[in-house]
């Protein structure tokens, strides 16, 4: 099946909008993607037809709503090919999922001097939760370094993954550079020492197929809003054996079995980790987004985005004095660059005036920017609805700005 | 000229630009021309760290008037800084505190000073005002 791009574009109402009087060229998809009408409709339908608090009610609407929420969990399970649906915990997004693991795994398994291993290209979301644990429990945070191309240097990984290491946590795909990390290799290395691995899939699930059983990762986390789904919903996949052993994250309704002032027993998985009324409109929207992506097919998406990436890389290369950051052999559809000594903020501001949305700055990956010794980059990131014509507009826009800066 | 007359002057200058591109070309030009920020002022305490661009601001009271100096790593930000300095520098604390910066909105740059822009300009304007408050208090 090939992709009918016009059909896909017509699925996304926001793409008809204009910005500063120009047609919107949205190339900030690594920050968040737009939503197809089917996702918007699915969320609306919850509120219009069956809104009710879930899991507790005996009445009809509550049952319908509970069913829809749990069906969505099943969709996430299949999407990641998890063994059980109770291995899928809904969270507010990737950040909350990582914090959940840092807190609950940390509370249960991490002690003074234990090491957590991340990489040099992580988003702050996969750095700061561990630094909090450094303060709270005296753990030690280490990282796998990268080379100039933005690829992990695995030469000394056997020293970094050692008897002190208690958890490895790394991005599947770098948000700032697009590098696809060799997670399978790292997972099997860690597993030879019995060390669990968490994969931050925030930038991956919308681009490549993920099979958590084939990867054999212990935790996999992602956000709905980067996968054409609603904002405020995401998921944590965790192997049953780990989730069962881990302390709860937050306390409240939903996560308990019985409560008395003498003591409380916790609910079974996944509810143990879902305190409070769940975001059931978000989960239903996420389910609709997964259906949407599945209907197009991740293989088709990956192939089309690779074409866009290749085209954009080739076209952008024609701009004098452009410098690319992240030239890994395995890359997702993210391009980070600088042009001459034009500040990313200046270029981004001017492109915005032309209706072109890119991201500028450090991309919440300051250690990575420190590695390249730059304040930030301009990042263009592509999704399924982008076109080569939009790439041309980006290139023309940059050329206009570059001329102005002479 | 009073502060408000300078503001009006800037508004008139901007009215001559037909296209947004001309407006930004002008900001880039005056941003490039903005000088006078001494290296000795480039200190942590004078730095306003926006998410997108960095802004340094420093002020001295000379003969009852405030001399502002500022700098940024982004040129558009620097261009807007140049306008703010043109309006506010060399004025007494009272003049500064009694003036509303109306030109920013009138020349269509309000976006840049919104809290969501995170380019450090809004904090810089607050800092400029704080200097005026502090110098006024010092004067008694």
């Amino acid at each position: 099946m090939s992709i009918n791009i016009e059909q896909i574009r017509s699925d996304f109402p926001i793409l008809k909008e204009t910005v500063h009087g120009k047609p919107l060229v949205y190339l900030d998809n690594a920050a968040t993607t737009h939503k197809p009408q089917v996702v918007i409709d699915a969320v609306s339908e919850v509120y219009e037809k069956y809104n009710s608090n879930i899991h507790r009610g005996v009445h009809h609407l509550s049952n319908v709503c509970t069913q829809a929420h749990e069906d969505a969990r099943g969709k996430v399970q299949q999407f990641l090919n998890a063994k059980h649906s109770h291995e899928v915990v809904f969270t507010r997004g990737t950040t909350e999922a990582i914090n959940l693991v840092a807190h609950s795994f940390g509370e249960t398994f991490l002690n003074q001097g234990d090491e957590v291993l991340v990489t040099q290209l992580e988003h702050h979301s996969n750095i700061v939760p561990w630094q909090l644990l450094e303060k709270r429990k005296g753990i030690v945070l280490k990282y796998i370094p990268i080379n100039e191309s933005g690829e992990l240097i695995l030469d000394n990984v056997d020293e970094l993954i050692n008897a002190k290491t208690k958890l490895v946590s790394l991005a599947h795909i770098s948000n700032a550079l697009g590098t696809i990390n060799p997670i399978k290799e790292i997972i099997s290395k860690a597993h030879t020492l019995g060390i669990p691995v968490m994969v931050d899939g925030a930038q991956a699930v919308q681009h490549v197929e993920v099979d958590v059983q084939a990867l054999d990762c212990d935790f996999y986390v992602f956000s709905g809003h980067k996968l054409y789904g609603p904002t405020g919903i995401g998921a944590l996949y965790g192997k049953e054996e780990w989730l069962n052993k881990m302390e709860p994250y937050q306390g409240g309704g939903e996560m308990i079995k019985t409560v008395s002032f003498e003591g409380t027993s916790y609910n079974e998985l996944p509810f143990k980790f879902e305190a409070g009324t769940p975001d059931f409109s978000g989960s239903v929207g996420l389910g609709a987004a997964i259906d949407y992506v599945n209907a197009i097919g991740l293989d088709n998406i990956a192939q089309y985005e690779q074409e866009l990436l290749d085209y954009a890389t080739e076209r952008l290369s024609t701009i004098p004095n452009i410098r690319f950051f992240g030239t890994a052999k395995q890359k997702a559809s993210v391009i980070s660059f600088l042009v001459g000594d034009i500040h990313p903020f200046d270029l981004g501001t001017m492109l915005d005036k032309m209706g072109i949305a890119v991201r500028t700055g450090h991309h919440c990956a300051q250690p990575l920017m420190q590695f390249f010794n730059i304040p930030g980059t301009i990042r263009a990131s592509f999704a399924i609805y982008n076109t080569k014509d939009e790439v041309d507009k980006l290139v023309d826009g940059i050329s206009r700005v570059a001329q102005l800066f002479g | 000229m009073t502060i408000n007359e300078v503001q009006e002057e800037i508004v008139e200058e901007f009215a001559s630009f037909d296209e947004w591109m001309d407006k930004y070309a002008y900001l880039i030009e005056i941003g490039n021309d903005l000088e006078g920020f001494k290296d000795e002022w480039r200190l942590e305490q004078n730095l306003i760290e926006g998410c997108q661009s960095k802004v340094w601001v420093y002020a001295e009271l000379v003969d009852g008037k405030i001399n502002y100096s500022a700098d940024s790593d982004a040129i558009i930000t620097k261009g807007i800084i140049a306008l703010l300095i043109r309006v506010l520098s060399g004025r007494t604390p009272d003049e500064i505190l009694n003036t509303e910066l109306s030109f920013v909105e009138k020349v269509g740059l309000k976006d840049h000073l919104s809290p969501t822009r995170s380019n450090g300009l809004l904090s810089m304007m607050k800092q400029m005002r704080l200097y005026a408050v502090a110098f006024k208090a010092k004067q008694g």
Side-chain angles (χ1 to χ4, degrees):
Chain A
M1 184 187 115
S2 68
I3 277 180
N4 180 345
I5 193 69
E6 282 314 311
Q7 174 62 49
I8 287 171
R9 286 185 69 80
S10 71
D11 293 338
F12 292 80
I14 208 169
L15 297 179
K16 297 183 191 78
E17 293 294 309
T18 55
V19 170
H20 305 304
K22 316 269 187 331
L24 168 66
V25 175
Y26 185 82
L27 304 176
D28 193 16
N29 295 287
T32 199
T33 55
H34 292 310
K35 322 305 170 197
Q37 191 65 49
V38 285
V39 168
I40 299 167
D41 288 347
V43 174
S44 297
E45 204 183 54
V46 174
Y47 293 119
E48 285 168 6
K49 296 192 174 155
Y50 55 89
N51 172 60
S52 264
N53 208 335
I54 61 174
H55 292 144
R56 292 284 174 274
V58 292
H59 59 82
H60 176 73
L61 288 188
S62 176
N63 286 333
V64 173
C65 204
T66 304
Q67 191 60 51
H69 179 69
E70 291 307 321
D71 284 351
R73 196 189 306 276
K75 285 176 187 178
V76 175
Q77 177 205 348
Q78 281 172 17
F79 184 63
L80 297 178
N81 193 32
K83 204 190 255 176
H84 310 289
S85 70
H86 61 252
E87 291 178 319
V88 174
V89 175
F90 284 119
T91 65
R92 282 191 295 136
T94 303
T95 299
E96 190 181 52
I98 295 173
N99 275 280
L100 189 160
V101 173
H103 181 276
S104 297
F105 184 91
E107 212 50 51
T108 315
F109 295 107
L110 298 181
N111 294 301
Q112 176 100 21
D114 286 345
E115 292 180 7
V116 170
L117 182 64
V118 297
T119 81
Q120 202 168 9
L121 47 66
E122 297 306 317
H123 188 282
H124 295 162
S125 294
N126 194 26
I127 298 173
V128 184
W130 309 112
Q131 290 176 329
L132 293 174
L133 266 181
E134 281 188 307
K135 277 193 187 161
R136 209 164 66 229
K137 295 203 102 178
I139 67 147
V140 179
L141 183 60
K142 299 235 162 155
Y143 63 86
I144 303 173
I146 55 166
N147 63 24
E148 285 291 326
S149 308
E151 293 165 317
L152 298 182
I153 301 172
L154 296 176
D155 301 350
N156 299 321
V157 80
D158 289 333
E159 286 164 38
L160 286 167
I161 302 180
N162 58 52
K164 281 189 191 161
T165 314
K166 292 293 180 291
L167 183 74
V168 179
S169 182
L170 81 165
H172 192 165
I173 295 178
S174 154
N175 73 308
L177 307 178
T179 310
I180 302 177
N181 287 324
I183 51 170
K184 196 158 182 181
E185 192 183 329
I186 292 168
I187 291 165
S188 43
K189 220 165 227 141
H191 281 182
T192 56
L193 293 174
I195 301 161
V197 179
M198 168 155 64
V199 180
D200 167 359
Q203 298 293 340
V205 288
Q206 63 278 48
H207 300 301
V208 294
E209 261 181 49
V210 173
D211 181 333
V212 291
Q213 292 189 74
L215 286 171
D216 200 25
C217 57
D218 302 273
F219 304 98
Y220 195 99
V221 298
F222 73 93
S223 297
H225 71 98
K226 295 184 202 283
L227 178 67
Y228 311 102
T231 187
I233 188 84
L236 156 69
Y237 157 81
K239 277 184 186 165
E240 183 181 28
E241 62 201 83
W242 287 114
L243 293 179
N244 269 330
K245 286 180 201 154
M246 280 157 52
E247 286 292 311
Y249 178 43
Q250 294 175 326
E254 280 275 328
M255 54 79 70
I256 51 91
K257 197 181 279 169
T258 60
V259 177
S260 74
F261 282 106
E262 285 68 46
T264 290
S265 61
Y266 306 130
N267 204 339
E268 60 195 15
L269 291 177
F271 311 114
K272 173 176 139 186
F273 290 106
E274 293 181 349
T277 295
D279 180 2
F280 48 80
S281 73
S283 63
V284 169
L286 175 57
I290 289 173
D291 287 343
Y292 182 80
V293 165
N294 283 339
I296 300 171
L298 269 164
D299 277 354
N300 290 316
I301 292 175
Q303 195 188 337
Y304 179 72
E305 289 178 344
Q306 185 65 44
E307 254 176 62
L308 274 181
L309 176 70
D310 292 345
Y311 182 72
T313 307
E314 187 194 315
R315 289 282 284 115
L316 285 166
S317 302
T318 63
I319 294 171
N321 300 319
I322 194 163
R323 283 182 292 158
F324 294 105
F325 297 91
T327 48
K329 281 174 217 90
Q330 298 291 319
K331 257 189 78 166
S333 55
V334 171
I335 303 186
S336 246
F337 59 91
L338 286 173
V339 180
D341 53 8
I342 304 175
H343 194 285
F345 172 77
D346 290 326
L347 184 48
T349 300
M350 304 287 277
L351 289 173
D352 171 60
K353 287 281 168 190
M354 302 176 207
I356 302 168
V358 292
R359 178 116 319 211
T360 64
H362 52 62
H363 316 299
C364 294
Q366 286 179 0
L368 183 59
M369 299 299 124
Q370 286 152 17
F371 170 80
F372 286 114
N373 197 24
I374 49 173
T377 70
I378 297 112
R379 181 187 71 186
S381 52
F382 305 99
I384 186 62
Y385 41 69
N386 289 124
T387 64
K388 287 183 181 173
D389 179 54
E390 289 179 314
V391 171
D392 292 339
K393 283 185 176 145
L394 172 70
V395 173
D396 293 347
I398 295 169
S399 302
R400 273 180 83 185
V401 178
Q403 267 175 8
L404 204 62
F405 276 79
Chain B
M1 272 202 280
T2 65
I3 287 193
N4 280 333
E5 281 166 352
V6 178
Q7 295 206 72
E8 280 311 311
E9 192 181 66
I10 292 171
V11 172
E12 275 170 39
E13 280 169 20
F14 272 76
S16 67
F17 301 134
D18 297 331
E19 264 205 81
W20 68 267
M21 197 81 169
D22 299 333
K23 198 182 340 183
Y24 279 83
Y26 177 65
L27 285 176
I28 290 164
E29 190 189 317
I30 60 173
N32 274 323
D33 289 346
L34 180 68
E35 289 172 344
F37 195 85
K38 293 181 185 165
D39 277 342
E40 66 201 67
W41 299 332
R42 217 171 287 275
L43 304 169
E44 194 70 27
Q45 72 219 51
N46 297 328
L47 174 66
I48 295 163
E49 191 106 36
C51 194
Q52 297 285 341
S53 55
K54 289 179 178 174
V55 173
W56 288 267
V57 61
Y58 183 73
E60 288 172 309
L61 190 68
V62 180
D63 298 333
K65 291 174 178 167
I66 302 178
N67 284 340
Y68 289 105
S69 304
D71 197 5
S72 174
D73 54 352
I75 297 296
I76 292 172
T77 306
K78 217 170 148 184
I80 298 171
I81 287 172
L83 293 175
L84 289 167
I85 286 181
R86 186 170 143 197
V87 172
L88 296 177
S89 207
R91 306 287 173 179
T92 66
D94 274 328
E95 278 180 287
I96 290 161
L97 294 172
N98 293 330
T99 300
E100 200 171 318
L101 287 171
S102 56
F103 84 93
V104 176
E105 187 166 357
K106 286 182 188 161
V107 301
L109 293 172
K110 200 182 162 205
D111 271 8
H112 285 286
L113 301 173
S114 79
T116 58
R117 272 284 166 174
S118 55
N119 55 9
L121 275 170
L122 187 69
S123 308
M124 178 200 157
M125 279 172 68
K126 282 187 190 150
Q127 190 58 41
M128 287 175 106
R129 231 184 130 75
L130 276 178
Y131 268 118
V133 171
F135 284 134
K136 187 180 154 80
K138 222 178 188 177
Q139 284 174 324

